[in-house]
Amino acid sequence: MIDGGEMGATLIEGGRVGSVCVIGLSASVEERLAAMSSSERGVFAAGAAERLMSWHEALPEEDRAPFTMSLRPLLDSVWEGSLGDSTAFTAVKRGVAEYMLSEYCHNDGQDGPEDADENAAATTLYAAHAYLFESCDFAVWASRRAVDAVDEHLEHLAEREEDLTDLDEATIAELQRQLRDLDLIANYSKDLQLAILGLPNHTSIRRRVEPRPPFPAGTDQAESSVSCVVLLR
């Protein structure tokens, strides 16, 4: 397995080196997701969605997408369900059903509404599906969307004529953060494996949202770390 720290320590000397690092780190994230329990993957996907949603919510009001903003209650329910509240299953199921029955779920390609293709919206829906259906694919797609969002964020900074970091360097930082998230989630592996069944109140897993920026260092943010840390109470 590729060591995220070693790969991230490589100096970026041209696009080819950066691209090799990105490919290696991405493969490492996906290998680790495949080896995890579905409950652990659900927390990972929810964390990725939380970062993107928090960034979207911080945009000027005129730049926020109404459909994306409407998914905040669904994401909150995904968190509660992923961290041990079995009663959240109904709310997540209903939220996904509402999306499936809406105009935003379609097979019209570019001729249909693109609202659900916004990165925070898509990642939230992937997190909900990861919780409901336990498939590794949804967590992998959440990871990839978080990487896609780095490029989008750099474009946003360019429009504001702010200093930009290299795309490969920013992407590597995001993937490194994902590997650190996976390390932290693994610390709670035994508890999370039971979370889908529901946990009693005295052992229920709760989350603490830390006031950390949603994107990696070097893209107008402070040092990266997980946005949502699971704690036992």
Side-chain angles (χ1 to χ4, degrees):
M1 183 177 293
I2 297 169
D3 185 288
E6 280 185 23
M7 292 291 290
T10 302
L11 292 176
I12 300 175
E13 298 176 354
R16 184 174 181 277
V17 174
S19 296
V20 170
C21 289
V22 168
I23 292 170
L25 288 169
S26 181
S28 184
V29 169
E30 295 184 14
E31 288 172 8
R32 292 189 58 181
L33 285 171
M36 281 184 149
S37 69
S38 59
S39 295
E40 291 172 282
R41 290 194 294 264
V43 171
F44 173 85
E50 183 69 40
R51 289 199 301 273
L52 301 192
M53 181 67 77
S54 296
W55 179 75
H56 193 86
E57 290 171 335
L59 291 173
E61 185 173 359
E62 62 271 16
D63 294 334
R64 299 175 204 157
F67 176 71
T68 298
M69 299 296 290
S70 76
L71 294 177
R72 165 50 77 180
L74 173 59
L75 180 53
D76 288 343
S77 295
V78 169
W79 268 120
E80 295 306 318
S82 296
L83 300 179
D85 182 358
S86 60
T87 65
F89 183 89
T90 298
V92 177
K93 177 179 67 174
R94 182 178 295 113
V96 170
E98 289 174 353
Y99 159 69
M100 297 290 285
L101 294 171
S102 75
E103 63 179 324
Y104 303 113
C105 181
H106 61 84
N107 62 350
D108 296 326
Q110 295 182 349
D111 294 330
E114 298 180 351
D115 304 61
D117 196 42
E118 190 277 324
N119 284 319
T123 309
T124 296
L125 292 168
Y126 289 147
H129 281 73
Y131 168 70
L132 291 176
F133 304 116
E134 305 181 18
S135 170
C136 181
D137 288 343
F138 296 114
V140 168
W141 294 335
S143 167
R144 292 176 182 176
R145 278 290 184 157
V147 170
D148 291 344
V150 172
D151 190 17
E152 177 188 348
H153 185 61
L154 289 177
E155 290 180 4
H156 178 75
L157 293 179
E159 291 174 358
R160 292 163 51 185
E161 299 183 351
E162 297 189 20
D163 292 337
L164 301 180
T165 190
D166 177 80
L167 175 59
D168 281 338
E169 185 176 357
T171 302
I172 288 168
E174 167 58 28
L175 289 166
Q176 285 179 319
R177 193 228 318 265
Q178 291 186 19
L179 289 169
R180 287 195 294 273
D181 286 358
L182 291 170
D183 286 339
L184 287 171
I185 291 168
N187 291 335
Y188 299 95
S189 174
K190 292 182 180 179
D191 299 285
L192 288 171
Q193 288 175 15
L194 301 175
I196 192 67
L197 302 176
L199 298 173
N201 289 337
H202 66 282
T203 58
S204 182
I205 299 174
R206 296 293 182 242
R207 71 180 172 94
R208 177 171 56 123
V209 180
E210 295 190 342
R212 300 296 179 89
F215 284 89
T219 54
D220 189 38
Q221 294 83 16
E223 181 180 357
S224 66
S225 67
V226 292
S227 297
C228 300
V229 182
V230 290
L231 299 174
L232 294 178
R233 291 192 178 185

